[in-house]
Amino acid sequence: MFGGLMSKAVDMAVTIAGVNFRSPVIAASGTFGYGVEFEEIIHMEKIGAFVTKGLSREPMAGNNAPRIIETSAGMMNAIGLQNMGVRAFCEEKMPVLRRMQGAVVIANVFGFTKEDCVEVIRVLNDAPGIVMYELNASCPNTSHGGMVFGTDPDLLGELVYACKRASQRPLLVKLSPNVTSIGTMAKVAEAAGADAVSLVNTFVSMSIDVETRRPRIANVTGGLSGPAIKPIAVRMVHEVSKAVRIPVVGMGGIVRAEDVVEFMLAGATAVEVGTASYADPRAVEVISNGLRKWCGAHGVTDVRTLTGGMVR
Ligand SMILES: Cc1cc2nc3c(=O)[nH]c(=O)nc-3n(C[C@H](O)[C@H](O)[C@H](O)COP(=O)(O)O)c2cc1C
């Protein structure tokens, strides 16, 4: 009988803002390059989608090294949003991605002013083959003295509103966890037109080498990711899923199928996998396959039934 359950087909499809994904497991921004690097490594049709590296109006060189270090149960990075710029991405990478079997592209967008973000979206609008945008709201707004968009409700609302107006595709707004109430920020994003929210981005953190007494990251502070942040991320996903009606995409420290189930039970419709790809470049596919097996072994025939399924 158990064998019968195991062999039952599992419907892995989920829908976010009208877009259908084959699996709820998506590769996270900044940990999957521009996608093209994974052509020989991953079967794209086995994962839900991937999110590109953050794209800005102009190319960016990023911060000085060291900019990635390992920590207990995680990693810290201060890459500084290095990227080739949105135009080069559309010209050089999108033609390759359009030819790649099964590749589902979500473009991650950021900028240092509202106008920057709108311009990136306008350029992307003209590129066929992108299913949605993920707006990274964890960037300092240079017109407001470096105040981070995602930590000020008024700035976040203005940014999301402007981007949604410019966007010809669904808009996923990626929230910063470095706030007092992430539920409030999610509500602001929803009210300003977000079609869905994703969370969490990395936590501001710091590490010092006690022998040299120097910061272990040249930028001094960096973003903490990986298993160390998972319980906080699960709590935030739960909080946000109670606060808004739009779909929630959860992430933070996912390394195995059970972690995905946990995020979905907390209220996520789909998840993203970041740091795990550094340990194993095939992680996203392995986790997506593992989720199918987990569902089969637990009599779950439709993965969507997991969302919000926590029992108290
Ligand atoms: C090296 C690195 C680079 C990242 N770059 C971006 C980025 O460009 N844009 C973005 O929205 N998030 C970026 N992130 C955040 C991840 O997409 C993700 O939100 C975070 O790492 C938490 O998930 P994880 O614990 O599975 O890594 C980056 C993370 C890492 C580790």
Side-chain angles (χ1 to χ4, degrees), residues 7-8 31 61 68 104 127 135 143 173 235 256 286:
S7 58
K8 227 176 188 180
T31 61
I68 289 193
V104 178
L135 175 66
S143 6
V173 175
R235 186 268 292 173
R256 52 189 200 133
V286 171

Side-chain angles (χ1 to χ4, degrees), residues 28-31 51-55 68 75-77 79 81-82 108-110 134-138 174 199-202 223-227 229 251-254 272-276 278:
S29 178
T31 61
V51 187
T52 67
K53 229 178 228 264
L55 300 166
I68 289 193
M75 67 186 259
M76 274 171 59
N77 90 84
I79 302 289
L81 298 162
Q82 178 186 354
N108 184 281
V109 172
F110 75 94
E134 180 179 62
L135 175 66
N136 176 4
S138 302
K174 186 164 178 179
L199 61 138
V200 295
N201 211 318
T202 55
L224 182 66
S225 61
I229 68 171
M251 79 197 88
I254 293 174
E272 293 181 25
V273 174
T275 300
Y278 276 79

